[in-house]
Amino acid sequence: MPGTNLTREEAKTRSTLLDVATYDIEIDLTAGDERFGTRTVLSFSCSAAGATTFADFVEADISQITLNGHPLDPADVYADNRITLDDLQTDNELVVVATCPYSHSGEGLHRFVDPVDDRVYLYTQFEVPDARRVFTTFEQPDLKATFAFSITAPTGWEVVSNSEAKTQDTGDGVSVWSFERTQRMSTYITAIIAGEYDVVRDSYRGAYGEIPLGLLVRKSLLEHLDADEIFEVTKQGFAFFEGAFEMGYPFGKYDQAFVPEYNMGAMENAGAVTFRDEYVFRSRQTRSAYEGRANTILHEMAHMWFGDLVTMRWWDDLWLNESFAEWAASHASAKATKYVESWTAFANARKGWAYRQDQLPSTHPIAADNYDLHAVEANFDGITYAKGASTLKQLVAWVGEDDFLAGLRTYFDKYAYGNTELADLLAELEAASGRDLSAWSTEWLQTSGVNTLRARLETDDAGAFTSFVVEQSAIEAFPTLRRHRIAIGLYDRDDAGALVRRQRVETDIEGAETVIDELVGATRPDLVLLNDDDLTYAKIRLDERSLATLVDGIASVTESLPRALCWGAAWDMTRDAEMSATAFADLVLGGVATESELTAVGTLLGQGRNAVALYAAPDHRDALRARWEQGLRELVGAAEPGSDHQLALVRAYAAAAHSDEAAAYLRGLLDASITLDGLSVDIDLRWTFVTSLARQGVFTEDDIDAELSRDATIAGQEHAAGARAIQPSPAAKEAAWDAVVVRDDLANETQRSIAEAFQVSGQGDVLEPFVDRYLQTAETVMEKGVWRASVILQTLFPRANPAQATLDRVDAWLAETQADAATKRYVLEGRDDLARALRAQARDS
Ligand SMILES: [Zn+2]
């Protein structure tokens, strides 16, 4: 029984058989709060007369099916989310009329009522296979067609889709939006955004004509929308991409909608991009948040060409789609916006994700074998996004940026409105660069695991290198050694104490040992940095002298990207039990205040907190925790009033707070009996403090209720739900467990807020009973659906208080479980975190 699954083979068979011409879709949004009306007319041809295939439609209540003028009984042909279509002709017309339920899980057509003003907001989310929750489809990316939507909705709503619309008021408070027929596109990038949204309009004029721009936002968030900044990045992005690709934007107008209760960051619906509306900042944020949002805007825009115009044939190339967008966003950000340090942010925030994921037992090749939709869903991970993007960056270094772009331009030209596979792109890149990419592709895309690079250095009495060798290693399970294009930087401390690059050598690394002749005779510097400029994807190790230089003052590395690599190396060494948690926490406390990149600041403060909570040896964990809290308090006091650092450090201090003194200080900031020069305790910072006090057991349900009455928004409700779940009491944990695991009536984002607050370091006693309950639940949790099951399996895993006894129980479960492979994958990943924490604790003792 396929359920909602679809195999690659089934998709292939269907696309061999069919050629889809048009969809005409009517959606009625006036039929009540629970369900909407939907009518699809699908025109398609079939290459084998008399053949049988199926259309997709999930959870529909179907009243009419007509194939080529003949009515079919839904009871006969609709089962298991598929409509069987027999006896096809050369040209066919399928008509399906039905109602479908609104979603509260963020999949399909999501409906949200704003608690502030009871206004209604809808949006669709279709990737991977959820257009079939809204209309009848052939749900696979290579059956492209043109779409004409007609939407009936209350007069006065905003209704947006992939193209422009004409609106007609039909009376009785109802209007119909008739959208122009779209270009040929895949079902998963079609979209409907409808409701009482406010819209801000602008337009971009460039070399290829005018693009009308729109921003949609809930009425209650409009006052916080910084449209000027968002339009600025949007226009810079269009100017950059149209120039680099030498091709105009293909989809006419460009709307960007900020929508509530969104499961992801954003989605590249053609001409109608959706973003989670946390990107409309209602409180003070650091520059890092603006930089991250600009990156997301550019990421989705890059997909308009790579993904939407030219689309993967099947989800096997999902990694390529996402990696390209990640690469293009950082590239455009650095070249065309004020966020010029985007590759530093990439190194700080994204690569760590990839390295972590790639060292889990569940790692897989970038080119994953996505044999069906369930496999695709499990692979929306750090390999697909971040390792893929790192590898693509390595590919750009390998073929050269100019040739890379030249190859892309031919690729877009050749395959516009069509579908491709990886080989089609590689062929264009080989033609443009003259480099053979077959070995590159095998080594990087079809194998798993991360290599480690370290320098083996010998010097003479005068301090000059007599030998400079780069050693490459891999772990036994994934032994592939790869070709790397890397830069090596030699840094010296100058008279002012700054670490300045004296020499940079760019070279190919291959095999276990590569001799770097160019550096023989060079004077040994204070810091040797492998993978300088972050060209490749590999863990790097620092030699003893270089490490000592960093411990002496990491901030003295003057460039942000090499500094990011040094920070990354230190964190890797800590995770790998080669550096103690104590030393890492001290390194962060010593360097974070002068780190100029706010993305690095946020990452480091999080890593420092994890080092203290998870990797500190039990016998001195309390002491280190106190030192971390006290160190942050001193940094808060010394931070420049009103600076981003002050805000980031105050947040980190609230997350670190354990002592009575810290609780009293946070209480004081909340009730304004204590003030900190330049710090505005705005609504989201209040929730940070309330959550900290709830975690410490200082604030009660009443205090949380009182805060909620000050902020009765959906964000406030989600914060309050998290604050309740984070309390260190059996009753709070029981209620949270019930909300996440047992009940199924909570909206997706509320459920996630609770889930993420459940596991807390230092609450080992109240969480103890939930170790066994987690393992029991895991046995059958997939029955709740893949999306929800993955939230439960990931967030509730008992990883916050690592202990050998927990590891033993997990191992016993793994030895006996009957759970499916996807469930075991999540549990194995949690087990790996536990085992890693115990090794790091041993190193720290
Ligand atoms: Zn993407």
Side-chain angles (χ1 to χ4, degrees):
M1 210 171 77
T4 51
N5 205 357
L6 174 75
T7 68
R8 182 172 53 204
E9 274 314 301
E10 288 174 321
K12 199 171 164 187
T13 303
R14 191 161 65 174
S15 69
T16 308
L17 204 58
L18 303 187
D19 197 353
V20 186
T22 59
Y23 283 79
D24 288 85
I25 300 156
E26 293 171 22
I27 305 286
D28 182 1
L29 302 176
T30 63
D33 299 348
E34 303 291 327
R35 304 181 75 84
F36 57 92
T38 163
R39 178 177 190 273
T40 310
V41 181
L42 243 168
S43 299
F44 59 99
S45 61
C46 177
S47 60
T52 297
T53 189
F54 60 93
D56 304 288
F57 208 10
V58 173
E59 281 185 43
D61 186 357
I62 299 180
S63 56
Q64 181 200 328
I65 303 176
T66 308
L67 178 62
N68 298 327
H70 302 294
L72 304 176
D73 185 347
D76 294 338
V77 298
Y78 181 54
D80 210 15
N81 301 311
R82 292 180 175 189
I83 301 170
T84 302
L85 305 173
D86 279 329
D87 197 19
L88 293 175
Q89 302 171 12
T90 305
D91 293 307
N92 302 276
E93 185 185 80
L94 172 68
V95 182
V96 181
V97 182
T99 68
C100 291
Y102 287 114
S103 150
H104 298 284
S105 67
E107 304 155 294
L109 180 52
H110 188 90
R111 187 175 192 274
F112 171 81
V113 180
D114 194 331
V116 172
D117 52 16
D118 288 334
R119 293 183 190 276
V120 175
Y121 299 96
L122 315 177
Y123 63 87
T124 56
Q125 170 56 39
F126 289 163
E127 193 180 23
V128 175
D130 286 330
R132 59 189 176 157
R133 293 180 184 276
V134 178
F135 52 93
T136 304
T137 66
F138 295 118
E139 190 78 69
Q140 58 190 77
D142 62 343
L143 283 175
K144 287 192 174 185
T146 65
F147 295 80
F149 282 99
S150 171
I151 314 286
T152 303
T155 301
W157 276 24
E158 281 298 331
V159 182
V160 157
S161 181
N162 307 92
S163 57
E164 303 265 20
K166 286 197 175 60
T167 313
Q168 196 188 357
D169 192 335
T170 60
D172 296 334
V174 171
S175 293
V176 177
W177 281 257
S178 305
F179 289 86
E180 288 170 9
R181 188 167 291 285
T182 66
Q183 307 273 20
R184 271 174 69 80
M185 60 177 70
S186 306
T187 51
Y188 81 95
I189 55 164
T190 61
I192 301 162
I193 300 136
E196 300 179 74
Y197 291 95
D198 264 319
V199 187
V200 184
R201 298 200 186 283
D202 198 343
S203 83
Y204 166 75
R205 255 173 243 280
Y208 296 87
E210 186 177 355
I211 305 169
L213 306 176
L215 300 178
L216 284 84
V217 68
R218 276 186 283 143
K219 284 202 161 53
S220 61
L221 275 181
L222 181 66
E223 59 172 314
H224 304 296
L225 180 72
D226 50 340
D228 290 349
E229 157 90 8
I230 294 169
F231 280 136
E232 184 187 357
V233 172
T234 303
K235 292 173 188 178
Q236 288 168 334
F238 276 124
F240 182 79
F241 288 130
E242 289 194 335
F245 301 156
E246 292 179 10
M247 179 184 269
Y249 163 68
F251 297 107
K253 57 89 186 180
Y254 197 69
D255 288 311
Q256 299 177 93
F258 294 87
V259 301
E261 296 184 330
Y262 199 55
N263 282 335
M264 284 166 286
M267 176 67 205
E268 67 267 25
N269 313 308
V273 177
T274 38
F275 295 84
R276 63 187 301 120
D277 66 14
E278 286 78 1
Y279 275 128
V280 177
F281 303 128
R282 58 182 202 143
S283 294
R284 166 88 192 277
Q285 298 291 336
T286 70
R287 180 181 169 88
S288 161
Y290 290 88
E291 179 172 6
R293 184 179 66 183
N295 194 279
T296 305
I297 290 170
L298 295 168
H299 175 116
E300 305 312 328
M301 191 182 290
H303 273 312
M304 296 300 130
W305 287 265
F306 203 112
D308 290 4
L309 177 69
V310 182
T311 311
M312 66 208 141
R313 188 173 303 291
W314 174 249
W315 300 100
D316 287 329
D317 286 326
L318 174 68
W319 78 270
L320 183 60
N321 194 29
E322 292 309 337
S323 300
F324 179 83
E326 289 235 343
W327 174 83
S330 291
H331 182 63
S333 184
K335 299 263 180 178
T337 76
K338 64 189 168 205
Y339 304 107
V340 293
E341 307 286 344
S342 50
W343 286 115
T344 303
F346 181 81
N348 278 318
R350 306 301 277 183
K351 287 190 96 164
W353 181 26
Y355 293 141
R356 175 185 179 272
Q357 187 100 42
D358 209 7
Q359 293 173 78
L360 291 171
S362 58
T363 190
H364 55 85
I366 293 173
D369 182 20
N370 284 330
Y371 48 85
D372 65 13
L373 290 177
H374 288 173
V376 179
E377 278 154 359
N379 282 331
F380 268 84
D381 61 10
I383 301 295
T384 293
Y385 279 75
K387 184 182 179 185
S390 310
T391 299
L392 200 71
K393 188 169 186 241
Q394 169 69 184
L395 177 62
V396 177
W398 195 254
V399 299
E401 187 181 307
D402 291 345
D403 289 343
F404 182 77
L405 284 171
L408 267 182
R409 288 192 282 264
T410 321
Y411 174 79
F412 289 145
D413 250 8
K414 202 164 165 178
Y415 298 108
Y417 305 105
N419 294 86
T420 56
E421 293 167 1
L422 170 66
D424 299 319
L425 176 66
L426 292 183
E428 300 309 326
L429 296 180
E430 285 184 332
S433 69
R435 273 195 111 146
D436 176 5
L437 296 177
S438 53
W440 179 88
S441 163
T442 307
E443 281 172 11
W444 281 99
L445 304 180
Q446 288 163 28
T447 65
S448 304
V450 55
N451 299 125
T452 301
L453 303 179
R454 66 179 89 217
R456 195 176 72 223
L457 308 169
E458 285 167 32
T459 49
D460 61 18
D461 293 345
F465 287 124
T466 53
S467 160
F468 195 117
V469 177
V470 177
E471 297 179 337
Q472 179 180 191
S473 59
I475 63 163
E476 222 177 288
F478 304 111
T480 308
L481 299 181
R482 303 183 178 87
R483 263 157 279 213
H484 299 262
R485 183 83 187 160
I486 71 162
I488 301 170
L490 306 189
Y491 290 76
D492 293 319
R493 211 177 274 291
D494 69 10
D495 294 342
L499 274 168
V500 178
R501 185 158 73 188
R502 177 217 311 162
Q503 192 176 353
R504 174 187 188 273
V505 172
E506 192 170 318
T507 183
D508 290 342
I509 300 292
E510 195 173 344
E513 296 196 345
T514 306
V515 179
I516 314 294
D517 288 325
E518 251 179 292
L519 289 172
V520 171
T523 305
R524 179 166 192 157
D526 292 314
L527 169 68
V528 174
L529 186 58
L530 299 182
N531 196 28
D532 202 354
D533 298 330
D534 201 25
L535 300 182
T536 196
Y537 169 84
K539 294 200 288 183
I540 52 167
R541 288 294 187 253
L542 298 164
D543 61 278
E544 222 166 291
R545 176 160 168 194
S546 298
L547 188 59
T549 301
L550 289 188
V551 171
D552 226 25
I554 201 164
S556 56
V557 180
T558 51
E559 298 286 321
S560 70
L561 185 52
R563 215 164 50 234
L565 293 163
C566 293
W567 284 121
W571 176 239
D572 268 334
M573 290 171 77
T574 309
R575 278 172 39 84
D576 291 348
E578 292 184 32
M579 184 172 181
S580 73
T582 304
F584 184 78
D586 284 343
L587 191 67
V588 174
L589 287 173
V592 73
T594 46
E595 171 56 61
S596 60
E597 284 306 303
L598 267 298
T599 305
V601 169
T603 302
L604 289 168
L605 290 170
Q607 289 169 342
R609 184 181 61 189
N610 280 337
V612 172
L614 305 174
Y615 296 169
D619 59 353
H620 61 259
R621 186 181 297 136
D622 288 346
L624 184 59
R625 194 176 270 172
R627 184 147 110 214
W628 177 247
E629 181 194 291
Q630 185 54 34
L632 288 172
R633 175 68 183 278
E634 285 164 17
L635 293 175
V636 166
E640 188 190 323
S643 65
D644 279 357
H645 279 81
Q646 184 190 46
L647 177 57
L649 287 163
V650 163
R651 286 176 181 159
Y653 178 67
H658 276 87
S659 67
D660 293 349
E661 189 204 342
Y665 185 70
L666 295 177
R667 253 181 197 284
L669 287 173
L670 263 180
D671 65 20
S673 61
I674 297 174
T675 55
L676 193 56
D677 196 13
L679 186 77
S680 141
V681 182
D682 57 23
I683 194 68
D684 285 320
L685 193 55
R686 287 190 66 86
W687 280 114
T688 302
F689 296 163
V690 169
T691 304
S692 173
L693 292 163
R695 171 177 54 74
Q696 296 172 75
V698 177
F699 263 18
T700 62
E701 296 278 333
D702 288 348
D703 297 308
I704 297 167
D705 284 344
E707 192 62 28
L708 183 57
S709 66
R710 301 171 67 119
D711 179 22
T713 62
I714 184 64
Q717 289 183 4
E718 288 162 6
H719 282 306
R724 290 196 179 96
I726 209 168
Q727 297 177 94
S729 72
K733 296 300 176 193
E734 194 62 52
W737 183 270
D738 187 60
V740 175
V741 179
V742 182
R743 286 169 61 182
D744 52 16
D745 57 338
L746 283 177
N748 52 333
E749 272 294 291
T750 305
Q751 204 158 39
R752 187 162 38 234
S753 299
I754 297 168
E756 285 176 354
F758 187 80
Q759 282 288 339
V760 181
S761 167
Q763 295 183 354
D765 290 348
V766 283
L767 289 169
E768 215 288 328
F770 293 95
V771 176
D772 285 337
R773 285 173 72 178
Y774 172 90
L775 294 170
Q776 282 158 16
T777 300
E779 208 64 61
T780 54
V781 71
M782 276 298 160
E783 292 166 7
K784 296 178 187 297
V786 178
W787 181 264
R788 192 159 157 224
S790 70
V791 170
I792 291 170
L793 288 165
Q794 282 179 301
T795 57
L796 303 188
F797 185 91
R799 58 161 68 72
N801 297 281
Q804 186 62 45
T806 309
L807 185 61
D808 293 343
R809 275 145 89 184
V810 172
D811 281 342
W813 182 89
L814 280 165
E816 294 193 351
T817 182
Q818 303 295 312
D820 60 293
T823 298
K824 275 199 280 196
R825 169 178 168 162
Y826 289 114
V827 177
L828 272 169
E829 290 180 356
R831 185 216 178 269
D832 195 72
D833 283 341
L834 274 181
R836 183 178 285 278
L838 293 173
R839 288 196 298 274
Q841 288 180 9
R843 174 69 181 77
D844 190 56
S845 67

